[in-house]
Amino acid sequence: MISSSNLRRFLIIGFCATALSLHAQDNTPSRNIDETYQFDERGDAKLEVSFQYGAAQWATWKEQYGDHPDMLLRNLRYQFASSVIDDFSLDKDEVHRHAIARLKGRAVARYRDGGEFVIDVPKNMKLVSGAERDWIFTNSNLINGEIINQTIHAKLPAGAQDARFSPGGDFGQIAYQMNLTPPRPKGWVEAGVVLLLLG
């Protein structure tokens, strides 16, 4: 049986350990990465990635990538290996230690049969909200002593229908339908009716 003095000692040790753990978490550097994908009717996407650093992390990032955008582009091409990357640009705000990378990716949404497109979502991303054209996913991880808070916002094209999310495997998937039948010009339809009547 634990005596009251020993119990008090265990409680004090437990409280101190919890307080130290919370203090360590408060001092852990964190970084937010926001990715926004705007898809068009062909499955191509405009991507904007924005992120902000503390002073030490900003200096490291600038040395590795910020002053060498070709290295950043190389990493993005590796990340989107199945797509063709165009129109890459990088804007840096030195005062606020904030950067935005913009690019266009072809075939980011894969086409299936019958007008269906599929977008891969990494399995570690958790669905926050999703309905019709707007889908938001988040994830937080401790990587190399730094908390990375990532948000992905996928905006489907205006004509997207029957959008749904299926988790599982190495990737979850957003699937949606597009009507790929080109509309017939009204003039051609009217001309066709006139020709039928004349015939």
Side-chain angles (χ1 to χ4, degrees):
M1 184 172 178
I2 299 175
S3 68
S4 61
S5 61
N6 284 339
L7 180 60
R8 191 178 305 116
R9 189 178 302 126
F10 286 139
L11 289 174
I12 290 171
I13 291 171
F15 174 78
C16 291
T18 303
L20 286 172
S21 173
L22 291 173
H23 180 69
Q25 288 179 2
D26 288 342
N27 290 333
T28 303
S30 64
R31 174 162 47 110
N32 297 326
I33 301 176
D34 297 313
E35 301 179 19
T36 301
Y37 295 77
Q38 178 65 66
F39 290 89
D40 65 18
E41 66 278 0
R42 295 180 302 275
D44 299 344
K46 290 181 180 178
L47 170 60
E48 183 174 291
V49 182
S50 68
F51 45 91
Q52 190 165 10
Y53 287 100
Q57 293 92 348
W58 178 259
T60 302
W61 175 81
K62 272 192 64 182
E63 183 179 345
Q64 292 179 342
Y65 299 108
D67 292 336
H68 308 281
D70 57 315
M71 299 295 291
L72 182 59
L73 178 57
R74 186 189 70 176
N75 282 3
L76 288 168
R77 282 183 170 146
Y78 177 79
Q79 183 180 347
F80 297 97
S82 61
S83 304
V84 177
I85 302 300
D86 289 324
D87 298 338
F88 172 76
S89 67
L90 177 65
D91 296 322
K92 295 178 291 184
D93 180 349
E94 298 281 354
V95 175
H96 298 98
R97 297 185 290 274
H98 178 260
I100 300 177
R102 296 181 178 88
L103 57 93
K104 290 180 182 177
R106 293 188 217 162
V108 178
R110 296 192 319 277
Y111 177 68
R112 287 181 173 171
D113 293 331
E116 184 178 64
F117 287 83
V118 173
I119 303 166
D120 287 333
V121 180
K123 66 179 179 181
N124 63 332
M125 300 303 296
K126 298 172 182 64
L127 177 64
V128 175
S129 66
E132 299 179 359
R133 294 180 52 216
D134 286 311
W135 297 79
I136 299 176
F137 301 84
T138 63
N139 182 50
S140 293
N141 269 326
L142 183 63
I143 301 174
N144 297 327
E146 182 182 32
I147 298 173
I148 307 295
N149 302 307
Q150 183 181 11
T151 300
I152 293 178
H153 189 181
K155 299 180 180 181
L156 305 185
Q161 300 173 352
D162 190 28
R164 58 212 177 273
F165 176 68
S166 303
D170 291 334
F171 293 92
Q173 291 183 334
I174 300 173
Y176 61 94
Q177 296 288 134
M178 291 291 295
N179 182 7
L180 301 179
T181 306
R184 294 180 180 177
K186 189 177 178 182
W188 286 105
V189 174
E190 291 173 352
V193 171
V194 170
L195 289 173
L196 281 173
L197 292 174
L198 289 175

